[in-house]
C-alpha cells in the first residue's frame, strides 16, 4: 500500500513538475520567495491594529506567531527527521534525473512535509476564521495554494509533501484559533463582551481590501518581473 502511494506520488510530481516554461520558472521562483510577501504581512498587522482593540490585536498577533512557529517546528524539527524523505530535486534522489530545477535551487536534504505549505495554510486558515468573509478567505487560500504549488513546480517537494503540509497547517491554524477564541471568552477585553469583539463575523473593511489588493498586486509584480 505504501509503495503504491509512493509510486503514485512520484508519478504525479513528475507530471506536474514537467509543466514548465521559461516564464513560469521565474514567476514561481519569485512567488516562492518569502520576502516578496512582506507587504501582505504588514497589512495583516494593520488589520489587527485598526479592526480590534489593543488586547484583542495583541492576542491575535501572538496567536498567529505561535501558529506559524508551531507549524514550522512540527514539520521541520519533528516530522522530517523521522521520515527523512529526500526532496525530488535532491541529487541523491533517483527521481532527480527527470525533475526540472529552477536557477539551481534544490532546497535542503529532506522535504516531507512541506513547511511552505504547512505555514501558508496555517496562516490562511487562521486569517479566514478571524475575518469570516468569503472574499477575504478565498484570496488568502488562493495565496496559500499557489505558494504550496510553487514548491512542487520548483522541484523541491513531492505532491504528497504539499498535501500533508497543508493538512497539518490547517489543523494547527484551526486549533490555535479555537484556543484564541476560548481565551477571548475569559473577558480579558475592555468594553463589549469578548464574543462580539473577537468571535463574531465582522464587515469587510478597507484594510481587508488592502490586503487583497497587496496579494493581487504582488502576483502581478511577480508576473511582470518574470518577463
Amino acid at each position: 500500500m505504501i509503495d503504491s502511494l509512493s509510486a503514485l506520488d512520484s508519478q504525479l510530481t513528475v507530471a506536474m513538475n514537467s509543466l514548465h516554461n521559461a516564464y513560469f520558472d521565474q514567476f514561481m521562483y519569485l512567488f516562492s520567495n518569502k520576502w516578496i510577501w512582506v507587504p501582505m504581512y504588514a497589512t495583516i498587522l494593520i488589520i489587527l491594529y485598526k479592526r480590534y482593540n489593543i488586547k484583542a490585536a495583541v492576542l491575535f498577533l501572538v496567536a498567529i506567531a505561535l501558529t506559524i512557529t508551531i507549524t514550522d517546528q512540527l514539520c521541520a524539527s519533528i516530522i522530517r527527521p523521522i521520515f527523512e524523505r529526500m526532496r525530488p530535486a535532491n541529487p541523491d534522489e533517483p527521481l532527480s534525473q527527470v525533475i526540472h530545477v529552477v536557477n539551481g535551487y534544490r532546497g535542503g536534504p529532506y522535504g516531507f512535509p512541506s513547511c511552505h505549505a504547512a505555514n501558508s495554510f496555517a496562516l490562511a486558515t487562521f486569517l479566514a476564521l478571524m475575518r469570516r468573509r468569503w472574499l477575504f478567505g478565498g484570496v488568502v487560500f488562493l495565496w496559500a495554494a499557489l505558494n504550496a504549488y510553487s514548491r512542487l513546480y520548483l522541484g523541491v517537494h513531492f505532491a504528497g509533501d504539499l498535501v500533508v503540509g497543508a493538512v497539518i497547517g490547517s489543523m494547527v491554524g484551526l486549533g490555535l484559533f479555537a484556543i484564541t477564541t476560548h481565551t477571548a471568552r475569559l473577558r480579558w477585553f475592555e468594553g463589549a463582551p469578548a464574543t462580539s469583539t473577537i468571535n463574531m463575523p465582522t464587515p469587510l473593511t478597507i484594510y481587508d481590501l488592502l490586503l487583497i489588493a497587496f496579494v493581487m498586486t504582488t502576483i502581478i509584480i511577480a508576473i511582470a518581473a518574470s518577463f
Side-chain angles (χ1 to χ4, degrees), residues 3 6 20-23 33 48 57 63 101-102 108 121 125 141 145 148 157 162 166 172 188 194 204 214:
D3 291 340
S6 180
H20 61 84
N21 58 46
Y23 163 72
N33 190 313
L48 294 178
V101 175
V102 178
F121 274 89
T125 299
F141 274 111
H157 282 296
L162 305 182
V172 174
W188 283 5
L204 197 66
F214 268 129

Side-chain angles (χ1 to χ4, degrees), residues 9 110 121 190 225:
D9 192 17
Y110 306 122
F121 274 89
E190 299 174 357

